[in-house]
Amino acid sequence: MKEAGVKAWLPSLLRLVLVVLLIAFVTNPGWFEPLLKPLTENNAPAIYNQGSLLTLTLLHLRTVLIATVAATIVAVALAILVTRPAGVEFLPLSRSLVNIGQTFPPVAVLALAVPAVGFGEKPTLIALFLYGLLPIFENALTGLTTLPANVVEAARGAGMTGWQRLVKIELPLSAPIILGGIRLSVVISLATATIGSTVAARTLGEVIIAGLLSNNLAFVLQGGLIVAALAVLIYDGLSAIERYTARRMGQETA
Amino acid sequence: MTIRFDKLGVVIAAIVSYAAFAAPFATFRANRIVPGEARSILDALPAAAGPLLLAIVVGAALIALLKTPLILRLAASVVALAALALLIGVSGSFLTPEGNTFARISPASGFWLLIFAFTLLLADVLTRLNLSPWARVGVLVVAAAAIGLLLVSGSWNSLSILKEYANRADSFWAEGSKHVTLALGSLAAAVISGLPLGILCHRVEKLRAGVLNVLNIIQTIPSIALFGLLIAPLGWVATHVPGAAALGIRGIGTAPAFVALFLYSLLPVVANTVVGLAGVPRAANDAARGMGMTDRQRLFGVEFPLAFPVILTGIRIVLVQNIGLATIAALIGGGGFGVFVFQGVGQTAMDLVLLGAVPTVAMAFAAAIILDAVIEMTSTRRREAQPA
Amino acid sequence: MIEIEGITKRYDATTVVDDVSMLIEPRTIAVIVGTSGSGKTTLLRMINRLVEPTSGVIRLDGADNRSLPGYQLRRSIGYAIQGHGLFPHRTVAQNIGTVPVLLGWEAARIKRRVDELMTLYQLDPQAFGPRYPHELSGGQQQRVGVARALAAEPNVLLMDEPFGALDPIIRNKAQEDLLAIQKRFGTTIILVTHDMEEAVHMGDKIAVMDAGKLVQYAKPAEILAKPASAFVETLVGASEKPFRLLSLGRVRDAVETGAAEGEAIPDDASQRDALAELLWSGRPALPVKGADGRPLGRVTVDGLVKRAARPA
């Protein structure tokens, strides 16, 4: 029994340790210099020195947040549109487009956005937005088209208008699946945002690229690890919300 | 008779009327770096061709706008796309001043919007036709052959993207083959090691969560960081393991890119193998055991064939993802089409970016269509075999 | 009073409901029976306009059911379906309060009504109100489904195979509960089922549908005695007829004077149960007792057998 207890709270403890380490690292990277020093050569700096890690982390998160919020609004709105009677003609086409869209590599989207909007944060936002749309749209579509038929029937029978059904029944019921799409989208965006630094967006990719250019492994490692830690924590957090909403409805989660 | 509008047709007609009359069709630049001047359809084409193209796109848009038979819509989209493809080449040679090798002509937003609008129409028709897997691959082959023919015939040669190509023809094919090697090679390695690992995870429950968690965490490391992190260990291997350097293993270059793509590929392959095997109906397994099959016979005779479509889905994800990710290899000297993309970004030469991006997208797209067709073929065969 | 007049529903070339007319008296239960695909569910769904008829009129207490927008009409009519269709993301209390909330009742009034219905259905409002549907048993979920349909005090309740997903013991209990509640509120109920047993047990009148047409609409005894067609005859089941007829009557109506040995049967049991008990125990007669336990007389095998014969 004791062992089972340890097993149950061990993941939470690990997460807590990860959060503390992450915050400590981005606010006081100097503390960790001795750990990273062995990775450098010719007395190169072990901690990124061309900007604050904290600022870059926050900018990175801001870019991902803006892109994800925009992608969520547009993807969910589109999914709602093609599942209403007026938009149902677009349903098969929208599925094909999602399929085609997923074959566009993020680097290509990023590079092609530059001539339209110039360098900096904007092309990154566009690439993250476009790439983030797809998982959310696909999941929202799945959620809205696989609602239990008798629940929707009961909602109609109770005299709900189309709008009331959407807001009170259909969206809450598909919320866990839509959240799953947002989670995938965020994790992809966190990693893709680093590539944004190749077109001069200010994200943690700056640290990694600086490391690649100056052959400084310590930079590459710290940039990569911060992004990975953010991804793991956000993934876990969103999974927990998803499980909570699904469990309340008695649904199984994958 | 009342006129009935097609809803998608309204969208297409709106895009077409903006693109054909208000947006530039081609951009003229005196050389590769200077800003361009926009040219409308009528300015960008010889006297007769301009009105002809306008007539074709307007006619096709009308067919899309009204409720018309599928076959007519198919014809309209194909004719419009073909006319656009041919005439953008004509525009290239028309706009290039005689004997000028510096001038650059590239398709502008109007052209791309027209292509988008009619591709949308074509995609809608093809979706509604509900083609069989073989027919879809057939359409892909025809489209690829048509584009190949246009390229070989030289009718696009005066366009800027092909001028960039002409300057780099040799390195284009060299980087292309590196790109394919990276994407397919890492996939092959991932399948060879991922399948047994997946089967092992399916059989040994204790391993499952651990292995999948590790692979999940690898996926969260940004690709450029993972590429970079592999430089050091591989560099160490190259200098310390005899013979490794002779095999082409180096700290920078293709080796770390290959290993990184391999690591990213493992999760979809292993996870889908586990999911596929777990989805094999218990009754089928029980029946197999009841008839006296050994574990090995059951694996190859029952479980594996039933799980195959799910495993293929994993392979499709990996292939499409690898073709895209391989572009990033260029950042660490790993080659591939990414070389042109990043060079182009560096020189703000968008034609060079396109030279890298277009083949990458085309390959990913073709890979997705072919593998989707294969997946559908294998899973329908299975469905027919089962009693309703 | 519900008047259905010449109602027809066509989907392209197929006619699902074909020129059906019937009249349902207030405060009664009408049961629509038929095989699957007979159009019985479509007919029911045209009453609250979940399906719009191709032609014909339906009047509720004299008013055309098209005089209101569909969603407002549906708020005034109770609707319960097979598999209950409870909203999984809302608590039991919220589920029951659905229509009152849509109608804009005050919170206090909603709470009073929800508590009243839950108590009526033997669900403790304190314990069950805040739970989610998946935490309830199948029988409890079904009761919540009916309670939700009755929440806004509708005069009319439509039920589509409401007991279809229940096991036989719970189904029996649910049927008895519904009969009791119908008496209490005086609701007019239209119930769709494919189970003739249920139809005979629940219905004041039974409507038999076949291939979209109303084949017979009559009191249960008449359906059993004079089936209008071979189809109705098959649906009733030739070998079941005498027992179904007996199940319509109560023991109190078959009491004879005299005494008998053994355990007494209550006078509100069905005559069918009494005959079964007689046959099983091999006795010729059973004593009958009233609700207060007072002996009333006896029922005999001979007497019941006479009652099971085809009525003149």
Side-chain angles (χ1 to χ4, degrees), chain A residues 150 153-154 156 159 164 168 172, chain C residues 45 50 74-75 79 83 89:
Chain A
N150 62 357
E153 166 88 359
R156 273 190 79 203
Q164 286 170 332
K168 296 186 170 198
Chain C
R45 287 158 55 93
L50 282 172
R74 288 191 278 274
R75 288 173 192 177
Y79 186 56
H89 61 301

Side-chain angles (χ1 to χ4, degrees), chain B residues 195-203 270-282 285 298-299 302-308 310-311:
Chain B
L195 277 183
L197 190 56
I199 294 169
L200 198 67
C201 285
H202 173 67
R203 292 278 164 100
V270 174
N272 278 47
T273 308
V274 171
V275 170
L277 289 175
V280 171
R282 180 188 281 272
N285 252 327
R298 202 155 49 84
L299 179 64
V302 179
E303 292 186 304
F304 208 72
L306 284 174
F308 192 58
V310 184
I311 298 174

Side-chain angles (χ1 to χ4, degrees), chain A residues 78 81-82 86-87 89-90 93 97, chain B residues 5-19 60-62 64-66 73 113-114 116-118 120-121 124:
Chain A
L78 273 180
L81 178 77
V82 298
E89 270 181 59
F90 294 99
L93 178 67
L97 287 185
Chain B
F5 293 111
D6 183 273
K7 281 181 192 156
L8 178 65
V10 175
V11 177
I12 289 174
I15 300 176
V16 169
S17 44
Y18 169 76
L62 274 178
L65 181 62
L66 303 173
R73 300 172 82 78
L113 280 174
L114 287 171
F116 172 71
F118 291 112
L120 208 57
L121 181 61
D124 182 50

Side-chain angles (χ1 to χ4, degrees), chain C residues 16 48 56 58 65 73 113 117-118 153 187 200 244 250 266:
Chain C
V16 185
N48 66 358
I58 295 175
N65 72 348
L73 172 81
R113 179 63 178 163
L117 281 165
M118 290 189 70
E153 297 164 1
T187 317
V200 171
R244 296 225 154 114
R250 302 281 139 182

Side-chain angles (χ1 to χ4, degrees), chain B residues 89-94 96 105 154-160 162-163:
Chain B
V90 172
S91 157
S93 25
F94 176 70
T96 312
I105 316 299
S155 66
W156 281 346
N157 279 358
S158 49
L159 292 179
S160 54
L162 285 183
K163 289 206 169 150

